[in-house]
Amino acid sequence: MSDSTGTLDILRDINLDFAYRETAAIIGASGSGKSTLLSIIAGLDTPSAGSVHLDGQDLFALGEDARAALRAQKIGFVFQSFQLMANLTALENVMLPLELAGRRQAREAATEMLERVGLGQRLGHYPKVLSGGEQQRVALARAFVVQPAVLLADEPTGSLDFATGETVMNLMFQLNAELGTTLILVTHDTRIASLCQRRVVVDAGRARMDLSAEQG
């Protein structure tokens, strides 16, 4: 990939495949390129070479607008910092991706998803009055409400205490199983990584599948 100073050699020689309904954790030392890899998988950062295919479509063969449209339809995101719209209620935050996609009955679908994550009584609350765990559950509801083919999560429990993080991760895996989404998450927590079917180890810009982590 490149920036204003030229080419940044962050990742190299990477060849990964993720299956439908699979859960995979991207792990590695700080600065190893984990988040960059996730951004390239999402089509947010453009690699200087190579391709990313989603449902048979090469993301970087598309124009920026078409890539954004495919991303909105097929990919959900959960971030460590929640990334909620402060001026929108919990319900409005979850409705937003549905409305942008022109989906009908956005309010009903968003309400149902918030109820599934245990926030049926917090629909009209703004992020500033929600706890960190509640905000992350709103973020989960927003990500899953569009029923994405792939959910990408970047340190989803990084700003939460252990108990709250445990609740959020259990909920994420539960929704992933119910909706059949492919889950790819970046984490520094080896315990969370061990819950995934596979682990991708990123080291000095290279990535490999840790096959010893596969579960039966």
Side-chain angles (χ1 to χ4, degrees):
M1 59 181 292
S2 302
D3 70 358
S4 59
T5 64
T7 299
L8 300 176
D9 191 15
I10 299 174
L11 300 168
R12 62 188 73 84
D13 303 326
I14 293 177
N15 186 7
L16 300 171
D17 290 297
F18 298 99
Y20 290 110
R21 309 179 70 92
E22 181 178 23
T23 58
I26 300 175
I27 60 175
S30 178
S32 61
K34 301 186 301 298
S35 292
T36 298
L37 177 57
L38 201 70
S39 292
I40 289 176
I41 291 171
L44 293 170
D45 288 338
T46 304
S48 54
S51 60
V52 175
H53 293 261
L54 174 61
D55 276 351
Q57 176 68 63
D58 183 354
L59 291 181
F60 299 108
L62 300 172
E64 189 171 328
D65 290 344
R67 187 162 65 245
L70 182 64
R71 188 164 51 237
Q73 180 183 7
K74 299 280 189 178
I75 301 176
F77 298 91
V78 178
F79 302 95
Q80 176 178 344
S81 56
F82 316 136
Q83 299 287 344
L84 300 178
M85 302 292 289
N87 62 325
L88 300 181
T89 65
L91 179 60
E92 291 166 342
N93 266 283
V94 179
M95 288 173 60
L96 184 60
L98 295 171
E99 293 177 327
L100 291 175
R103 303 279 186 91
R104 296 181 177 180
Q105 299 181 319
R107 178 175 294 272
E108 291 81 356
T111 299
E112 180 182 353
M113 186 57 69
L114 282 166
E115 289 173 347
R116 291 182 69 179
V117 300
L119 294 177
Q121 303 302 314
R122 309 286 268 171
L123 303 181
H125 290 70
Y126 290 91
K128 66 180 180 180
V129 298
L130 299 175
S131 68
E134 288 173 330
Q135 289 185 61
Q136 194 60 299
R137 282 188 279 160
V138 173
L140 278 182
R142 181 183 59 188
F144 276 110
V145 75
V146 296
Q147 298 188 9
V150 180
L151 180 71
L152 304 176
D154 194 356
E155 298 284 6
T157 63
S159 59
L160 305 176
D161 62 71
F162 177 82
T164 304
E166 187 92 353
T167 298
V168 166
M169 285 308 306
N170 287 339
L171 185 57
M172 181 179 293
F173 281 112
Q174 177 186 340
L175 289 171
N176 175 75
E178 289 178 7
L179 299 178
T181 300
T182 298
L183 172 62
I184 305 171
L185 63 91
V186 165
T187 182
H188 66 277
D189 190 327
T190 56
R191 184 187 57 83
I192 291 175
S194 70
L195 299 175
C196 294
Q197 292 166 310
R198 289 199 289 175
R199 292 184 296 183
V200 177
V201 181
V202 180
D203 183 20
R206 288 182 168 84
R208 59 179 174 81
M209 282 291 188
D210 181 4
L211 299 180
S212 66
E214 290 187 358
Q215 298 176 346

